[in-house]
Amino acid sequence: GSASEHDAPHSEEEIRALLSHAHVQGELTRSEHRLLNAVFEFDDMTCRGIMVPRREMVYLDVDMSFRELIDLANKTKHSRYPVCEGSLDNVLGVVHIKDLFRLQVKGSERWDDVIRPVVHLPETMPVADVWETLNKRREYVAIVFDEYGGTAGLITMEDLVEEIFGELQDEFDNESALLALDKDGRLYLRGDLLVSDINEYLDL
């Protein structure tokens, strides 16, 4: 038989209303409430909304000397770089900074040997699908292409995580600090910190 109205799934608006009610009733903390709302917003987004746009991308060109690569890596301090030939529209792959430094230690400059394949995703892809794709392939970074097949930007797992948790971090930033040192070197800890977290922060 057909499902009764009771069995019908809630719409996003209804769930948001239920969340607000639970929040007001004290059943959800402010952080939980904001996190659940962020999940809805995350679901509505596409690559285009959270990617690093093309104009801000730092990339390596295959024609660069090894010295130029190392200098650029030291200056920009990213962990991974897209590798292009001629222009950003011709991305050959991605290089991990640790591979470049390993080569430097070995005294080798054959850096084209350490170019890894990179995932290409359309800028219209929903962010939830991006998350699933990168997770499944165990990739950290993807190149985002536009409707003409050109490079539109770059997206990383960090961007995805920040998109969900960034607002929560902002909220904590406005509260009292988790750890604080005064001018006499005394350490102050926020009262709701777990002992296990304190040990981790202080490496005890």
Side-chain angles (χ1 to χ4, degrees):
S2 63
S4 73
E5 199 178 323
H6 260 335
D7 297 329
H10 290 293
S11 70
E12 182 177 324
E13 287 72 25
E14 288 172 321
I15 294 171
R16 281 184 186 268
L18 289 168
L19 287 177
S20 291
H21 178 74
H23 178 48
V24 169
Q25 299 300 312
E27 292 156 22
L28 281 177
T29 67
R30 188 167 51 152
S31 297
E32 288 167 334
H33 184 227
R34 292 176 70 167
L35 176 58
L36 288 165
N37 271 313
V39 170
F40 282 121
E41 281 148 26
F42 182 77
D43 204 36
D44 293 336
M45 276 183 198
T46 61
C47 273
R48 190 190 295 120
I50 65 170
M51 69 186 182
V52 175
R54 177 186 177 117
R55 67 182 176 276
E56 292 172 23
M57 284 173 65
V58 180
Y59 68 95
L60 308 177
D61 194 287
V62 281
D63 291 333
M64 282 177 159
S65 72
F66 191 72
R67 181 73 257 156
E68 286 175 306
L69 299 184
I70 296 294
D71 287 347
L72 184 64
N74 277 324
K75 191 167 72 181
T76 53
K77 301 198 175 355
H78 295 301
S79 59
R80 293 162 181 82
Y81 294 88
V83 181
C84 305
E85 186 170 24
S87 91
L88 262 174
D89 291 320
N90 189 14
V91 179
L92 303 178
V94 68
V95 156
H96 198 296
I97 190 64
K98 69 184 179 194
D99 290 333
L100 290 181
F101 286 125
R102 275 193 197 124
L103 287 179
Q104 192 179 30
V105 169
K106 282 185 188 170
S108 165
E109 298 197 358
R110 288 296 308 277
W111 73 276
D112 51 332
D113 289 344
V114 295
I115 298 173
R116 306 176 185 199
V118 67
V119 183
H120 287 74
L121 304 173
E123 63 179 349
T124 51
M125 182 183 263
V127 163
D129 294 344
V130 177
W131 179 276
E132 197 176 330
T133 303
L134 292 181
N135 249 333
K136 198 180 287 178
R137 300 197 192 186
R138 296 183 182 279
E139 297 287 354
Y140 178 85
V141 64
I143 297 297
V144 182
F145 62 87
D146 61 23
E147 59 187 308
Y148 306 108
T151 297
L154 172 141
I155 200 163
T156 69
M157 263 300 193
E158 190 179 11
D159 297 326
L160 299 177
V161 171
E162 278 182 0
E163 198 55 47
I164 289 195
F165 295 104
E167 250 194 293
L168 287 176
Q169 188 55 53
D170 291 344
E171 177 186 320
F172 291 135
D173 287 346
N174 295 333
E175 293 177 5
S176 58
L178 298 175
L179 301 163
L181 269 175
D182 72 8
K183 63 181 186 328
D184 299 320
R186 277 185 296 243
L187 182 65
Y188 292 86
L189 308 171
R190 215 171 67 188
D192 58 352
L193 270 178
L194 296 173
V195 173
S196 58
D197 285 344
I198 296 165
N199 287 340
E200 192 179 329
Y201 288 135
L202 301 179
D203 201 21
L204 298 173

